[in-house]
């Protein structure tokens, strides 16, 4: 019992210390590269809160990270690995756009619901393929999900810049969806919209399903010990496909809500980074849907702070990228976790 409490404390403290380490790295970078470090520090840490525009955009940037973080959490909890988030977000956003462009006569709410559901189904299918390949032939879903995603990105790029390109625009984009399909702005003049409410509800639902339902229990058991799960009569093949499909569905929802709430069209490359950052968010959260929301907010804060500092001081946006890389390294390598565990073992 004492050992269990010790391990729980280590698991809880590890991401907090990792975040603190990231902030220390940020401060060091600022003092090294900025000629006015005091101004840079102020705008980095306080900038996102100085006006409604910055603050609202920071919250809006967290929305797709919440959803992709949830998708990765579901996959990792079941010991399947989805590295195709980028393509799944991209395909989801394009699917939502395509549905609304091809069916312009739909009522507003009905069109939004249909677009999001269509995006979820398409992305769930794309991710579910990797789970099916693993179940059927033992294919490594880490590799197959990445390769399928890379292929999907090229296909969507071709459709956006070719068949469905808006020739009246100077951008590489599809035509905009009708204004009645746009999600309601809730914090003007920022881009924050009602998708933030959907994301929080999705996080609550994901937590409930994972920890309060039989399906969630079986999913977690398969992730902890597939052989034990099979011995107990659980269909382990199902839980190779289902978590991947759910993971893809969350990524598709992220893409569709980004289109309906922020971009209102499918821009070439609009999903860049959302899928990969979702992995880091899930790892910081310990694959716990309840912790995904604050982890996503933290990541969004790092990006918003870097943009504010870049605009108002002499620092560059790459500072945020380096900070994110430090977080990703510490979390994935479990450097902090292993150090704490080693230290406590000899206390």
């Amino acid at each position: 019992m004492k050992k269990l409490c010790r391990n729980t404390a280590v698991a809880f403290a590890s991401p907090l210390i990792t975040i603190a380490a990231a902030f220390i790295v940020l401060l060091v970078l600022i003092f090294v590269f900025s000629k006015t470090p005091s101004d840079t520090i102020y705008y980095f840490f306080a900038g996102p809160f100085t006006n409604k525009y910055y603050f609202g955009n920071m919250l809006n940037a967290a929305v797709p990270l919440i959803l992709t973080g949830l998708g990765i959490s579901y996959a990792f909890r079941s010991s399947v690995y989805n590295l195709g988030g980028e393509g799944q977000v991209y395909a989801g956003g394009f699917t939502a756009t395509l549905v609304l462009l091809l069916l312009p006569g739909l009522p507003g709410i009905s069109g939004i619901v249909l677009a999001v559901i269509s995006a979820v189904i398409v992305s769930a299918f794309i991710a579910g393929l990797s789970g099916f390949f693993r179940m059927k032939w033992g294919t490594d879903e880490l590799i197959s999900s990445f390769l399928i995603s890379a292929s999907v990105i090229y296909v969507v790029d071709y459709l956006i810049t070719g068949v469905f390109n808006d020739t009246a625009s100077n951008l590489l984009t599809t035509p905009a969806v009708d204004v009645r399909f746009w999600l309601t702005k809730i914090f003007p003049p920022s881009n924050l919209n009602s998708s933030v409410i959907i994301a929080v509800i999705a996080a609550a639902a994901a937590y409930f399903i994972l920890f309060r339902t039989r399906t969630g229990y079986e999913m977690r058991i398969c992730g902890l010990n597939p052989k034990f799960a099979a011995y107990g009569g659980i269909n382990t093949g199902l839980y190779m496909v289902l978590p991947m499909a759910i993971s893809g569905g969350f990524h598709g929802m992220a893409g569709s809500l980004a289109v309906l709430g922020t971009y209102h069209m499918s821009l070439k490359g609009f999903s860049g980074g959302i899928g990969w950052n979702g992995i880091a968010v899930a790892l910081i959260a310990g694959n716990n849907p309840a912790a995904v929301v604050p982890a996503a907010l933290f990541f969004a804060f790092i990006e918003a702070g870097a943009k504010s500092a870049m605009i108002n001081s002499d620092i560059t946006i790459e500072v945020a990228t380096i900070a994110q890389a430090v977080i990703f390294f510490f979390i994935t390598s479990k450097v902090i976790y292993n150090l704490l565990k080693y230290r406590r073992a000899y206390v």
Side-chain angles (χ1 to χ4, degrees):
M1 185 67 179
K2 185 177 180 181
K3 184 178 180 181
L4 177 63
C5 293
R6 189 186 303 127
N7 289 339
T8 302
V10 169
F12 180 78
S14 176
L16 296 179
I17 295 176
T18 298
I19 291 171
F23 279 130
I24 292 172
V25 171
L26 272 173
L27 291 174
V28 171
L29 290 172
I30 288 172
F31 277 104
V32 170
F33 293 108
S34 177
K35 296 178 181 178
T36 56
S38 59
D39 290 341
T40 303
I41 290 171
Y42 170 78
Y43 285 113
F44 195 103
F45 290 98
F49 306 99
T50 53
N51 60 55
K52 293 172 65 177
Y53 181 77
Y54 287 156
F55 182 66
N57 282 345
M58 181 185 74
L59 295 180
N60 190 55
V63 171
L65 295 179
I66 291 173
L67 295 169
T68 55
L70 291 173
I72 296 299
S73 296
Y74 259 75
F76 285 7
R77 276 282 179 176
S78 305
S79 288
V80 292
Y81 302 98
N82 181 10
L83 289 189
E86 289 288 312
Q88 292 152 25
V89 172
Y90 206 24
F94 178 74
T95 299
T97 305
L98 190 60
V99 167
L100 298 178
L101 290 178
L102 295 179
L103 301 172
L106 290 171
I109 296 296
S110 300
I112 290 172
V113 171
L114 180 61
V116 173
I117 291 175
S118 300
V120 168
I121 291 172
V122 168
S123 296
F125 174 77
I126 292 171
L129 280 175
S130 297
F132 176 77
F133 294 157
R134 176 181 170 180
M135 178 190 72
K136 193 72 174 175
W137 298 294
T139 307
D140 190 333
E141 78 284 356
L142 187 147
I143 301 298
S144 64
S145 62
F146 176 78
L147 293 177
I148 292 172
S149 171
S151 302
V152 166
I153 289 173
Y154 284 119
V155 171
V156 175
D157 278 345
Y158 168 75
L159 293 173
I160 289 176
T161 59
V163 181
F164 297 98
N165 182 242
D166 182 7
T167 56
S169 174
N170 293 324
L171 303 173
L172 296 174
T173 178
T174 65
V177 301
D178 193 88
V179 68
R180 68 178 180 280
F181 301 124
W182 297 8
L183 295 179
T184 306
K185 301 286 185 183
I186 58 176
F187 208 61
S190 74
N191 290 321
L192 185 63
N193 54 78
S194 53
S195 65
V196 68
I197 301 171
I198 299 172
V200 172
I201 294 173
Y207 179 86
F208 178 82
I209 292 170
L210 194 60
F211 291 103
R212 294 292 186 269
T213 67
R214 177 178 174 177
T215 299
Y217 171 76
E218 292 181 346
M219 199 179 297
R220 288 184 287 118
I221 290 296
C222 286
L224 291 170
N225 194 323
K227 292 183 179 179
F228 177 81
Y231 181 79
I234 296 174
N235 184 353
T236 54
L238 172 66
Y239 291 108
M240 293 177 187
V241 180
L242 183 61
M244 286 294 289
I246 292 175
S247 179
F250 275 118
H251 284 79
M253 182 182 293
S256 64
L257 294 182
V259 166
L260 299 178
T262 303
Y263 301 109
H264 310 130
M265 62 188 73
S266 283
L267 290 157
K268 182 181 179 182
F270 80 88
S271 65
I274 296 176
W276 293 113
N277 288 342
I279 296 175
V281 166
L283 292 173
I284 291 174
N287 299 323
N288 185 338
V292 163
V293 174
L297 288 171
F298 168 73
F299 243 68
F301 168 72
I302 291 290
E303 290 189 349
K307 290 177 182 177
S308 174
M310 180 185 68
I311 293 171
N312 296 286
S313 68
D314 59 349
I315 207 72
T316 64
I317 194 68
E318 282 73 23
V319 170
T321 305
I322 295 173
Q324 290 171 349
V326 170
I327 296 168
F328 200 82
F329 170 75
F330 280 145
I331 290 290
T332 53
S333 64
K334 294 190 174 180
V335 170
I336 303 296
Y337 179 84
N338 290 329
L339 285 175
L340 289 174
K341 194 173 181 179
Y342 178 84
R343 184 174 180 275
R344 284 182 174 271
Y346 291 93
V347 171

